[in-house]
Coordinates of all heavy atoms in Angstrom, one line a residue:
D350 N -88.5 143.8 78.5 CA -89.2 144.1 79.8 C -90.7 143.6 79.6 O -91.5 144.2 79.1 CB -89.3 145.6 80.0 CG -89.9 146.0 81.4 OD1 -90.6 145.2 81.9 OD2 -89.6 147.1 81.9
S351 N -90.9 142.4 80.2 CA -92.2 141.7 79.9 C -93.4 142.5 80.6 O -94.5 142.5 80.2 CB -92.2 140.2 80.4 OG -91.8 140.2 81.8
S352 N -93.0 143.1 81.7 CA -94.1 143.9 82.5 C -94.5 145.1 81.6 O -95.7 145.3 81.5 CB -93.5 144.4 83.8 OG -94.5 145.2 84.5
M353 N -93.6 145.8 81.0 CA -93.9 146.9 80.2 C -94.7 146.5 78.9 O -95.7 147.1 78.5 CB -92.7 147.8 79.7 CG -93.1 148.9 78.9 SD -91.6 150.0 78.5 CE -91.4 150.8 80.0
V354 N -94.3 145.3 78.4 CA -95.0 144.8 77.3 C -96.5 144.5 77.6 O -97.4 144.9 76.8 CB -94.3 143.5 76.7 CG1 -95.2 142.8 75.7 CG2 -93.0 143.8 76.1
W355 N -96.7 143.9 78.8 CA -98.0 143.6 79.1 C -98.9 144.7 79.4 O -100.0 144.9 78.8 CB -98.0 142.7 80.4 CG -99.4 142.2 80.7 CD1 -100.1 141.1 80.1 CD2 -100.4 142.8 81.6 NE1 -101.3 140.9 80.7 CE2 -101.5 142.0 81.5 CE3 -100.3 143.8 82.5 CZ2 -102.6 142.3 82.3 CZ3 -101.4 144.1 83.3 CH2 -102.6 143.3 83.3
W356 N -98.5 145.7 80.2 CA -99.3 146.9 80.4 C -99.5 147.8 79.2 O -100.5 148.4 79.0 CB -99.0 147.6 81.7 CG -97.7 148.5 81.7 CD1 -96.5 148.1 82.3 CD2 -97.5 149.8 81.2 NE1 -95.6 149.1 82.1 CE2 -96.2 150.2 81.4 CE3 -98.4 150.6 80.4 CZ2 -95.7 151.3 81.0 CZ3 -97.8 151.8 80.0 CH2 -96.5 152.2 80.3
G357 N -98.4 147.8 78.4 CA -98.6 148.6 77.1 C -99.6 147.9 76.2 O -100.4 148.6 75.6
A358 N -99.5 146.6 76.1 CA -100.5 145.9 75.3 C -101.9 146.0 75.9 O -102.9 146.1 75.1 CB -100.0 144.4 75.2
M359 N -102.0 146.0 77.2 CA -103.4 146.1 77.8 C -103.9 147.5 77.5 O -105.1 147.7 77.3 CB -103.3 145.8 79.3 CG -103.1 144.4 79.6 SD -104.5 143.4 79.2 CE -105.8 144.0 80.3
G360 N -103.1 148.5 77.5 CA -103.6 149.8 77.2 C -104.0 149.9 75.7 O -105.0 150.5 75.4
F361 N -103.2 149.2 74.9 CA -103.5 149.2 73.5 C -104.9 148.6 73.2 O -105.7 149.1 72.6 CB -102.4 148.5 72.7 CG -102.6 148.6 71.2 CD1 -102.2 149.6 70.4 CD2 -103.3 147.5 70.6 CE1 -102.4 149.7 69.1 CE2 -103.4 147.5 69.2 CZ -103.0 148.6 68.5
V362 N -105.1 147.3 73.8 CA -106.3 146.6 73.5 C -107.4 147.2 74.3 O -108.6 146.9 73.9 CB -106.1 145.1 73.8 CG1 -105.0 144.5 72.9 CG2 -105.9 144.8 75.3
F363 N -107.2 148.0 75.3 CA -108.4 148.7 76.0 C -109.1 149.5 74.9 O -110.3 149.5 74.9 CB -107.8 149.5 77.1 CG -108.8 150.5 77.6 CD1 -109.8 150.1 78.5 CD2 -108.8 151.9 77.3 CE1 -110.8 151.0 79.0 CE2 -109.7 152.8 77.8 CZ -110.7 152.3 78.6
F364 N -108.3 150.2 74.1 CA -108.9 151.1 73.1 C -109.5 150.1 72.0 O -110.6 150.4 71.4 CB -107.9 152.0 72.5 CG -107.7 153.2 73.4 CD1 -106.5 153.1 74.2 CD2 -108.5 154.3 73.5 CE1 -106.2 154.2 75.1 CE2 -108.2 155.3 74.3 CZ -107.1 155.3 75.2
S365 N -108.7 149.1 71.6 CA -109.1 148.2 70.5 C -110.5 147.6 70.8 O -111.4 147.6 70.0 CB -108.1 147.2 70.2 OG -106.9 147.7 69.8

Side-chain angles (χ1 to χ4, degrees):
D350 186 338
S351 60
S352 176
M353 179 176 285
V354 170
W355 185 82
W356 69 256
M359 286 295 291
F361 184 86
V362 299
F363 169 78
F364 288 96
S365 299

